[in-house]
Amino acid sequence: MAWPLPKTFQRVMRGAPTPRSPLPQQPFRVVTPMARTALLLGAAGGFALASVLSVTLAAHITLGPWWAATAQAHGRLQVFGWVGLFVFSVAFHFLPRLRGAGLRWPGLAPWVLGAMAGGLVLCAISQPLLAVTPGAWLWQAALILSGLLELAGIGLALAVLLGTFTQPGAPPLRKRPALWGVLPFLGCVGASLALSALVNLINVIQAAGGVGIVSAATDDISVTLGLL
């Protein structure tokens, strides 16, 4: 004999308002594609590039510009694809519950995923190939487009999170003490991601005009901001 679920828990599962959550919450399936894509990019993309880099080193194959470009693309795919998209999926599910409001503009979630994943895949393909064929306009355009897509994806994601934070009808902030405890961290996250996307766009434009390699200093800045 199955015991009936408490009514409050039933309302949460349906996404209906509860005494502590006055606005409906979206189910986890809204962010499931982000988490799955993050794992796919990490396993199929990041580890694949890492294997190429490791095998070439072990085989003492002559390393040219393509190796450095591939290493940079691999790092970005792991930081912003595997980790970044997974963090966004958690944030889209967690912040609304912390705020006591539904996710603002949930229809933008697929656009965030498409822009981020598309930009990262383009970068992973175009950056090494541009290093092999310097001056090829197709890979130059693809690399710049990857930066624009990542900027758009991160911008949309931050807009959704900020919109959730300022959701009309949400309870006053003074009634959400748990939110105040993490508010400084959320502010740092938003600022770091925005700056990282802008730095990356400048980096790929610079790399597209050369052999597909971003300067070590500016690449470190972008990745460090992403890690923050």
Side-chain angles (χ1 to χ4, degrees):
M1 177 179 177
W3 291 94
L5 294 173
K7 291 183 178 180
T8 300
F9 186 73
Q10 292 179 22
R11 287 196 295 267
V12 172
M13 294 296 289
R14 293 195 304 267
T18 67
R20 294 186 179 182
S21 178
L23 297 177
Q25 301 288 347
Q26 282 72 34
F28 189 71
R29 65 173 178 269
V30 172
V31 299
T32 299
M34 279 190 186
R36 289 176 175 171
T37 303
L39 294 174
L40 182 62
L41 288 176
F47 289 126
L49 293 180
S51 298
V52 171
L53 295 169
S54 300
V55 168
T56 52
L57 277 178
H60 301 288
I61 296 175
T62 301
L63 306 179
W66 71 269
W67 199 93
T70 303
Q72 290 181 345
H74 162 261
R76 188 151 198 90
L77 199 63
Q78 295 295 79
V79 172
F80 292 89
W82 183 21
V83 179
L85 277 177
F86 194 81
V87 168
F88 273 141
S89 70
V90 173
F92 278 22
H93 189 73
F94 173 70
L95 181 61
R97 285 150 179 81
L98 194 64
R99 182 66 182 93
L103 183 68
R104 192 83 179 269
W105 309 306
L108 289 179
W111 291 91
V112 172
L113 174 58
M116 286 289 294
L120 290 165
V121 170
L122 270 180
C123 178
I125 294 173
S126 62
Q127 191 172 1
L129 289 177
L130 181 59
V132 175
T133 57
W137 68 268
L138 178 61
W139 306 129
Q140 289 176 326
L143 187 56
I144 295 174
L145 180 59
S146 74
L148 291 171
L149 285 173
E150 285 191 51
L151 178 62
I154 290 176
L156 286 175
L158 293 179
V160 170
L161 295 175
L162 182 60
T164 301
F165 185 78
T166 59
Q167 179 83 282
L173 288 176
R174 65 179 182 274
K175 294 185 177 181
R176 313 299 295 183
L179 181 59
W180 284 104
V182 298
L183 197 56
F185 298 100
L186 295 178
C188 289
V189 167
S192 295
L193 283 172
L195 287 173
S196 175
L198 289 172
V199 171
N200 178 64
L201 180 58
I202 296 172
N203 286 348
V204 295
I205 292 174
Q206 173 259 320
V211 293
I213 300 177
V214 177
S215 69
T218 54
D219 184 59
D220 286 346
I221 291 174
S222 178
V223 172
T224 301
L225 287 170
L227 290 173
L228 291 175

